[in-house]
Amino acid sequence: MNTVKPPRWPSGDCCAVLASKLTMDELHGRQPLQLFRAQDDLDWFTGALLDAPSLGPLLLMRHDGNPDGLMAFYVDALCDVKAAQAFVMDLFCLRDEDVAWALALR
């Protein structure tokens, strides 16, 4: 696995728009990902960073200590939540049953 620089969020912050029950390997099988390992203020995590033309940075994170093993999808805090969720659902061919939670529309 590689190391990568953290994304630069255009607004200065990010937010998780949804989380999936699928593993990183399952997501990688649906969309090629360059995986990396890093540590944030919570825990070590496995991640992947994509540049989505319509959204900007898209960060996938699965924290080692997450008891539910969920994969969270982060976008810039000012992104349209509904558009970001639709993009992620489409990109990874997620079905409703693959989603553990989704951020309520603001």
Side-chain angles (χ1 to χ4, degrees):
M1 284 192 216
N2 302 315
T3 57
V4 299
K5 288 185 175 184
R8 292 194 184 270
W9 303 107
S11 71
D13 202 3
C14 65
C15 70
V17 292
L18 61 82
S20 176
K21 302 170 190 174
L22 298 180
T23 66
M24 191 67 85
D25 287 339
E26 290 171 306
L27 294 169
H28 180 67
R30 297 176 182 204
Q31 175 68 37
L33 300 169
Q34 184 176 358
L35 305 180
F36 64 90
R37 292 280 297 158
Q39 185 177 22
D40 64 10
D41 58 339
L42 295 176
D43 196 0
W44 280 93
F45 65 90
T46 301
L49 181 61
L50 301 170
D51 185 23
S54 61
L55 297 174
L58 171 62
L59 177 64
L60 288 70
M61 293 177 74
R62 191 220 167 266
H63 284 95
D64 293 358
N66 183 325
D68 295 324
L70 299 178
M71 180 69 58
F73 297 84
Y74 290 84
V75 297
D76 187 80
L78 294 181
C79 280
D80 177 90
V81 172
K82 187 174 181 177
Q85 290 169 339
F87 179 85
V88 169
M89 296 282 293
D90 184 56
L91 182 67
F92 291 101
C93 303
L94 299 179
R95 300 178 315 254
D96 288 343
E97 57 266 23
D98 297 327
V99 176
W101 63 260
L103 181 67
L105 299 179
R106 316 175 241 183

